[in-house]
PDB file of all heavy atoms in Angstrom:
ATOM      1  N   LEU A 524       9.618   4.543  27.678  1.00 89.00           N
ATOM      2  CA  LEU A 524      10.875   3.805  27.563  1.00 89.00           C
ATOM      3  C   LEU A 524      11.013   3.166  26.192  1.00 89.00           C
ATOM      4  O   LEU A 524      10.089   3.123  25.394  1.00 89.00           O
ATOM      5  CB  LEU A 524      10.931   2.727  28.650  1.00 89.00           C
ATOM      6  CG  LEU A 524      10.946   3.237  30.085  1.00 89.00           C
ATOM      7  CD1 LEU A 524      10.955   2.059  31.047  1.00 89.00           C
ATOM      8  CD2 LEU A 524      12.140   4.153  30.335  1.00 89.00           C
ATOM      9  N   LEU A 526      12.759  -0.409  24.104  1.00 91.00           N
ATOM     10  CA  LEU A 526      12.708  -1.856  24.347  1.00 91.00           C
ATOM     11  C   LEU A 526      14.068  -2.485  24.104  1.00 91.00           C
ATOM     12  O   LEU A 526      14.806  -2.055  23.212  1.00 91.00           O
ATOM     13  CB  LEU A 526      11.706  -2.516  23.392  1.00 91.00           C
ATOM     14  CG  LEU A 526      10.218  -2.249  23.628  1.00 91.00           C
ATOM     15  CD1 LEU A 526       9.406  -2.745  22.440  1.00 91.00           C
ATOM     16  CD2 LEU A 526       9.760  -2.934  24.903  1.00 91.00           C
ATOM     17  N   GLU A 559       2.738  -9.245  20.829  1.00 98.00           N
ATOM     18  CA  GLU A 559       2.155  -8.272  19.893  1.00 98.00           C
ATOM     19  C   GLU A 559       3.088  -8.082  18.706  1.00 98.00           C
ATOM     20  O   GLU A 559       4.298  -8.230  18.855  1.00 98.00           O
ATOM     21  CB  GLU A 559       2.007  -6.892  20.572  1.00 98.00           C
ATOM     22  CG  GLU A 559       1.054  -6.856  21.725  1.00 98.00           C
ATOM     23  CD  GLU A 559       1.230  -5.580  22.554  1.00 98.00           C
ATOM     24  OE1 GLU A 559       1.520  -4.521  21.977  1.00 98.00           O
ATOM     25  OE2 GLU A 559       1.086  -5.669  23.784  1.00 98.00           O
ATOM     26  N   PRO A 560       2.535  -7.711  17.567  1.00 98.00           N
ATOM     27  CA  PRO A 560       3.410  -7.325  16.471  1.00 98.00           C
ATOM     28  C   PRO A 560       4.124  -6.024  16.853  1.00 98.00           C
ATOM     29  O   PRO A 560       3.567  -5.199  17.571  1.00 98.00           O
ATOM     30  CB  PRO A 560       2.454  -7.056  15.307  1.00 98.00           C
ATOM     31  CG  PRO A 560       1.174  -7.729  15.697  1.00 98.00           C
ATOM     32  CD  PRO A 560       1.122  -7.681  17.189  1.00 98.00           C
ATOM     33  N   LYS A 561       5.346  -5.853  16.388  1.00 96.00           N
ATOM     34  CA  LYS A 561       6.038  -4.588  16.617  1.00 96.00           C
ATOM     35  C   LYS A 561       5.862  -3.750  15.357  1.00 96.00           C
ATOM     36  O   LYS A 561       6.399  -4.070  14.299  1.00 96.00           O
ATOM     37  CB  LYS A 561       7.519  -4.816  16.897  1.00 96.00           C
ATOM     38  CG  LYS A 561       8.238  -3.523  17.254  1.00 96.00           C
ATOM     39  CD  LYS A 561       9.620  -3.796  17.798  1.00 96.00           C
ATOM     40  CE  LYS A 561      10.248  -2.568  18.412  1.00 96.00           C
ATOM     41  NZ  LYS A 561      10.325  -1.418  17.548  1.00 96.00           N
ATOM     42  N   MET A 562       5.057  -2.736  15.501  1.00 96.00           N
ATOM     43  CA  MET A 562       4.725  -1.907  14.338  1.00 96.00           C
ATOM     44  C   MET A 562       5.808  -0.876  14.106  1.00 96.00           C
ATOM     45  O   MET A 562       6.377  -0.340  15.049  1.00 96.00           O
ATOM     46  CB  MET A 562       3.371  -1.250  14.568  1.00 96.00           C
ATOM     47  CG  MET A 562       2.263  -2.283  14.638  1.00 96.00           C
ATOM     48  SD  MET A 562       0.931  -1.846  15.761  1.00 96.00           S
ATOM     49  CE  MET A 562       1.666  -1.997  17.347  1.00 96.00           C
ATOM     50  N   ALA A 566       6.025   6.334  18.130  1.00 94.00           N
ATOM     51  CA  ALA A 566       5.273   6.224  19.368  1.00 94.00           C
ATOM     52  C   ALA A 566       4.650   7.562  19.747  1.00 94.00           C
ATOM     53  O   ALA A 566       5.283   8.610  19.625  1.00 94.00           O
ATOM     54  CB  ALA A 566       6.210   5.763  20.481  1.00 94.00           C
ATOM     55  N   ARG A 582       7.055  10.610  21.295  1.00 90.00           N
ATOM     56  CA  ARG A 582       7.894  10.072  22.362  1.00 90.00           C
ATOM     57  C   ARG A 582       9.042  11.020  22.682  1.00 90.00           C
ATOM     58  O   ARG A 582       9.429  11.169  23.840  1.00 90.00           O
ATOM     59  CB  ARG A 582       8.427   8.709  21.929  1.00 90.00           C
ATOM     60  CG  ARG A 582       9.412   8.113  22.883  1.00 90.00           C
ATOM     61  CD  ARG A 582       9.734   6.678  22.508  1.00 90.00           C
ATOM     62  NE  ARG A 582      10.724   6.152  23.420  1.00 90.00           N
ATOM     63  CZ  ARG A 582      12.036   6.222  23.224  1.00 90.00           C
ATOM     64  NH1 ARG A 582      12.497   6.783  22.143  1.00 90.00           N
ATOM     65  NH2 ARG A 582      12.865   5.727  24.106  1.00 90.00           N
ATOM     66  N   GLU A 625       1.288   3.288  18.475  1.00 98.00           N
ATOM     67  CA  GLU A 625       2.187   3.517  17.342  1.00 98.00           C
ATOM     68  C   GLU A 625       1.392   4.087  16.172  1.00 98.00           C
ATOM     69  O   GLU A 625       0.417   3.479  15.721  1.00 98.00           O
ATOM     70  CB  GLU A 625       2.816   2.169  16.960  1.00 98.00           C
ATOM     71  CG  GLU A 625       4.001   2.277  16.060  1.00 98.00           C
ATOM     72  CD  GLU A 625       5.315   2.553  16.816  1.00 98.00           C
ATOM     73  OE1 GLU A 625       5.274   2.849  18.034  1.00 98.00           O
ATOM     74  OE2 GLU A 625       6.360   2.480  16.162  1.00 98.00           O
ATOM     75  N   TYR A 677      -0.723   0.140  22.260  1.00 98.00           N
ATOM     76  CA  TYR A 677      -0.048  -1.031  22.811  1.00 98.00           C
ATOM     77  C   TYR A 677       0.196  -0.933  24.315  1.00 98.00           C
ATOM     78  O   TYR A 677       0.845  -1.806  24.888  1.00 98.00           O
ATOM     79  CB  TYR A 677       1.258  -1.317  22.075  1.00 98.00           C
ATOM     80  CG  TYR A 677       2.224  -0.146  22.026  1.00 98.00           C
ATOM     81  CD1 TYR A 677       2.816   0.348  23.178  1.00 98.00           C
ATOM     82  CD2 TYR A 677       2.542   0.456  20.808  1.00 98.00           C
ATOM     83  CE1 TYR A 677       3.686   1.412  23.147  1.00 98.00           C
ATOM     84  CE2 TYR A 677       3.425   1.515  20.751  1.00 98.00           C
ATOM     85  CZ  TYR A 677       3.995   1.999  21.925  1.00 98.00           C
ATOM     86  OH  TYR A 677       4.857   3.057  21.888  1.00 98.00           O
ATOM     87  N   VAL A 739       6.748  -8.015  19.833  1.00 98.00           N
ATOM     88  CA  VAL A 739       7.092  -7.565  21.179  1.00 98.00           C
ATOM     89  C   VAL A 739       6.498  -8.572  22.160  1.00 98.00           C
ATOM     90  O   VAL A 739       5.328  -8.940  22.058  1.00 98.00           O
ATOM     91  CB  VAL A 739       6.543  -6.152  21.490  1.00 98.00           C
ATOM     92  CG1 VAL A 739       7.013  -5.691  22.866  1.00 98.00           C
ATOM     93  CG2 VAL A 739       6.980  -5.152  20.429  1.00 98.00           C
ATOM     94  N   LYS A 741       5.788  -9.376  26.105  1.00 98.00           N
ATOM     95  CA  LYS A 741       5.717  -8.685  27.397  1.00 98.00           C
ATOM     96  C   LYS A 741       5.201  -9.647  28.467  1.00 98.00           C
ATOM     97  O   LYS A 741       4.228 -10.358  28.219  1.00 98.00           O
ATOM     98  CB  LYS A 741       4.741  -7.496  27.312  1.00 98.00           C
ATOM     99  CG  LYS A 741       5.088  -6.503  26.223  1.00 98.00           C
ATOM    100  CD  LYS A 741       3.977  -5.494  26.005  1.00 98.00           C
ATOM    101  CE  LYS A 741       4.349  -4.580  24.832  1.00 98.00           C
ATOM    102  NZ  LYS A 741       3.261  -3.666  24.443  1.00 98.00           N
ATOM    103  N   PRO A 758      12.226  -1.511  30.008  1.00 94.00           N
ATOM    104  CA  PRO A 758      11.721  -2.406  31.054  1.00 94.00           C
ATOM    105  C   PRO A 758      12.363  -3.783  30.931  1.00 94.00           C
ATOM    106  O   PRO A 758      12.704  -4.212  29.835  1.00 94.00           O
ATOM    107  CB  PRO A 758      10.222  -2.483  30.741  1.00 94.00           C
ATOM    108  CG  PRO A 758      10.078  -2.119  29.314  1.00 94.00           C
ATOM    109  CD  PRO A 758      11.218  -1.208  28.983  1.00 94.00           C
TER     110      PRO A 758
HETATM  111  S1  LIG B2189       5.803  -1.431  24.059  1.00 92.58           S
HETATM  112  C1  LIG B2189       8.053   0.101  27.643  1.00 92.58           C
HETATM  113  N1  LIG B2189       4.617  -2.552  21.997  1.00 92.58           N
HETATM  114  O1  LIG B2189       8.805   0.190  19.609  1.00 92.58           O
HETATM  115  C2  LIG B2189       7.551  -0.536  26.401  1.00 92.58           C
HETATM  116  N2  LIG B2189       6.208  -0.862  21.577  1.00 92.58           N
HETATM  117  O2  LIG B2189      11.565  -0.012  20.474  1.00 92.58           O
HETATM  118  C3  LIG B2189       7.102   0.445  25.433  1.00 92.58           C
HETATM  119  N3  LIG B2189       6.497  -0.324  19.206  1.00 92.58           N
HETATM  120  O3  LIG B2189       8.895   3.216  21.345  1.00 92.58           O
HETATM  121  C4  LIG B2189       6.891  -0.060  24.099  1.00 92.58           C
HETATM  122  N4  LIG B2189       5.034  -1.750  18.435  1.00 92.58           N
HETATM  123  O4  LIG B2189       7.322   3.006  19.325  1.00 92.58           O
HETATM  124  C5  LIG B2189       5.506  -1.650  22.405  1.00 92.58           C
HETATM  125  N5  LIG B2189       3.444  -3.603  20.280  1.00 92.58           N
HETATM  126  C6  LIG B2189       4.349  -2.694  20.686  1.00 92.58           C
HETATM  127  C7  LIG B2189       5.048  -1.873  19.781  1.00 92.58           C
HETATM  128  C8  LIG B2189       5.986  -0.972  20.265  1.00 92.58           C
HETATM  129  C9  LIG B2189       5.903  -0.809  18.106  1.00 92.58           C
HETATM  130  C10 LIG B2189       7.565   0.718  19.213  1.00 92.58           C
HETATM  131  C11 LIG B2189       7.303   1.870  20.142  1.00 92.58           C
HETATM  132  C12 LIG B2189       8.478   1.923  21.071  1.00 92.58           C
HETATM  133  C13 LIG B2189       9.524   1.182  20.283  1.00 92.58           C
HETATM  134  C14 LIG B2189      10.545   0.572  21.196  1.00 92.58           C
END
Side-chain angles (χ1 to χ4, degrees):
L524 296 178
L526 289 169
E559 296 165 35
K561 185 168 191 305
M562 295 147 290
R582 174 171 178 269
E625 195 84 350
Y677 55 66
V739 184
K741 303 170 184 173

